[in-house]
Amino acid sequence: VKAMKKAGTEQACKDAAQLFQNILDFKDSAALSKECLEKAEFCRKDAIYDSAKNRMTGEDIDAYEAAIKLFQDIPLFKDVDEQIQICQKSIEDIKEKQKKRKIVFSSVAIAICICIATSFFVTKEIIPNNKYKQAITLMNDGKYKEAAYVFEAISGYKDSNNKAVSCYKNILNDVSVGE
């Protein structure tokens, strides 16, 4: 009887049941053996239940799915149906969070791409075009030296190289005419 009262695990309960089965002719040994086996079954299910509950943490969908499978192995025990619903809800919540993270990540990636493209466009087209227009204005105003420097700064943009040469020719012509 001590072994039965101390038994807290499935195996300990089965061992106590075996002790009672060894003395089936003594008083209520058969009933006590049956009670020990029932307690062993409860301990088995309780261990499965605890194992499933321990998996119900964090953001790991696989852990929640494993918990559901464990709960399904012990139907009608404690509140397993409620625990299965909690697991299913947690899985849905995790999937929703993952979707939101993907949307945020995608949005950030798109924003970065737009910034890079804009930066590239500004540095390769807008700024050189503004400098080109400035150099044309300087050239038209007869400020060939300043215009030539600006055209050289944007060398390779449109016909800036040819315009720079043209400015230098005009500078040389002005020097020749001035002599």
Side-chain angles (χ1 to χ4, degrees), residues 46-176:
D46 200 45
I48 293 170
Y49 181 89
D50 288 343
S51 177
K53 287 284 284 182
N54 288 335
R55 294 171 194 264
M56 296 172 58
T57 59
E59 300 288 315
D60 185 4
I61 290 175
D62 292 338
Y64 283 99
E65 288 173 343
I68 289 171
K69 286 179 184 174
L70 289 171
F71 285 132
Q72 289 171 338
D73 287 342
I74 52 172
L76 305 176
F77 185 74
K78 292 186 178 182
D79 62 345
V80 295
D81 291 335
E82 182 182 332
Q83 295 301 323
I84 289 171
Q85 289 176 350
I86 290 169
C87 288
Q88 290 168 337
K89 174 76 169 101
S90 295
I91 290 170
E92 289 173 20
D93 292 345
I94 293 167
K95 286 180 178 178
E96 188 63 31
K97 286 178 188 174
Q98 289 174 343
K99 278 184 187 176
K100 287 179 182 177
R101 283 186 199 125
K102 286 179 184 176
I103 290 170
V104 168
F105 178 77
S106 297
S107 298
V108 169
I110 289 170
I112 289 171
C113 288
I114 289 171
C115 288
I116 290 170
T118 301
S119 174
F120 182 79
F121 182 71
V122 166
T123 58
K124 296 295 180 184
E125 188 61 36
I126 304 265
I127 292 172
N129 190 50
N130 287 343
K131 288 185 178 184
Y132 184 85
K133 287 178 183 177
Q134 176 191 12
I136 293 290
T137 302
L138 289 168
M139 191 170 114
N140 290 339
D141 290 346
K143 299 179 181 176
Y144 300 116
K145 186 175 181 182
E146 292 92 343
Y149 289 143
V150 175
F151 282 127
E152 285 178 353
I154 56 170
S155 176
Y157 183 76
K158 292 186 178 180
D159 62 345
S160 59
N161 293 344
N162 292 338
K163 295 283 187 190
V165 170
S166 185
C167 285
Y168 286 121
K169 285 180 181 177
N170 284 329
I171 291 170
L172 292 175
N173 285 341
D174 287 349
V175 171
S176 298

